[in-house]
Amino acid sequence: MKKLILIFFFLITSTGFSQLKVISFEEIDSLQQIQKRKIIIFIHTNWCQFCQSMKNTTFKNQEIIEKLNSDFYFLDLNAEEKRDIAFNNQVFKYQPSGNNVGVHELALQLGTLNNQIVYPVLCVLNEKNEIILQYSSYLGPKDFKLLLEKLKE
């Protein structure tokens, strides 16, 4: 009986709870050569409540995780990331604007709408790394699923 419970638990945890595959900007070019996909970039900060809410609801939803893993490349970008990021034949850097405050150039490049950046931002790129959609607001699981369906068309 214990073996049966262990096997059941193993099957549930290995198939029922898949994790979101987050890739890095540096991996995009080689992945696109293997399989062309749209890229979804979640731009956020640690202090943004709506960003944290999306992380804890939208990006924990199993249907969303499965769709993102199978149909898209998903990147997670903290807008206050301090490391240099190579992407699209450019190197983007953190731009300090005061004591322990600043924003990453890549977050500005991908997340600026109407000359401002409001978190969270979803930026969708096509297979050529061109911006095809920017959305600046919280998206719950239901609305995010609808967005993914539209993007898949």
Side-chain angles (χ1 to χ4, degrees):
M1 184 66 178
K2 284 184 180 179
K3 282 185 180 178
L4 185 61
I5 291 170
L6 273 173
I7 291 169
F8 180 72
F9 179 75
F10 178 73
L11 287 173
I12 294 285
T13 55
S14 64
T15 58
F17 301 105
S18 48
Q19 290 199 331
L20 184 55
K21 292 178 195 158
V22 179
I23 62 167
S24 69
F25 283 93
E26 291 80 6
E27 294 174 287
I28 288 290
D29 289 338
S30 58
L31 287 171
Q32 289 290 24
Q33 288 175 2
I34 297 166
Q35 183 180 15
K36 300 280 186 204
R37 292 184 184 180
K38 289 184 176 116
I39 302 161
I40 297 180
I41 305 163
F42 177 57
I43 305 168
H44 59 88
T45 66
N46 292 334
W47 50 262
C48 166
Q49 290 179 336
F50 292 109
C51 302
Q52 299 311 314
S53 183
M54 273 188 80
K55 280 184 173 186
N56 293 323
T57 58
T58 306
F59 296 120
K60 296 271 192 224
N61 180 289
Q62 283 304 302
E63 276 184 76
I64 289 172
I65 290 170
E66 288 168 18
K67 284 180 194 289
L68 285 172
N69 287 347
S70 66
D71 300 333
F72 301 93
Y73 293 124
F74 181 78
L75 289 85
D76 182 284
L77 176 60
N78 182 336
E80 297 170 327
E81 174 72 50
K82 292 195 166 87
R83 71 177 179 89
D84 292 356
I85 299 173
F87 175 66
N88 222 14
N89 300 317
Q90 277 185 274
V91 176
F92 296 89
K93 299 178 179 294
Y94 175 77
Q95 296 296 312
S97 58
N99 277 347
N100 291 326
V101 218
V103 67
H104 203 281
E105 290 174 332
L106 189 53
L108 291 172
Q109 177 94 19
L110 298 171
T112 300
L113 288 157
N114 302 321
N115 295 319
Q116 64 179 351
I117 188 164
V118 178
Y119 306 105
V121 178
L122 283 170
C123 180
V124 181
L125 308 178
N126 64 16
E127 295 83 355
K128 298 174 187 168
N129 296 338
E130 299 165 332
I131 296 173
I132 58 171
L133 174 74
Q134 289 171 300
Y135 185 82
S136 181
S137 189
Y138 170 86
L139 269 179
K142 183 180 173 187
D143 292 329
F144 196 80
K145 284 180 205 170
L146 289 173
L147 174 67
L148 292 178
E149 289 300 321
K150 292 286 183 198
L151 289 170
K152 192 63 185 137
E153 294 174 356

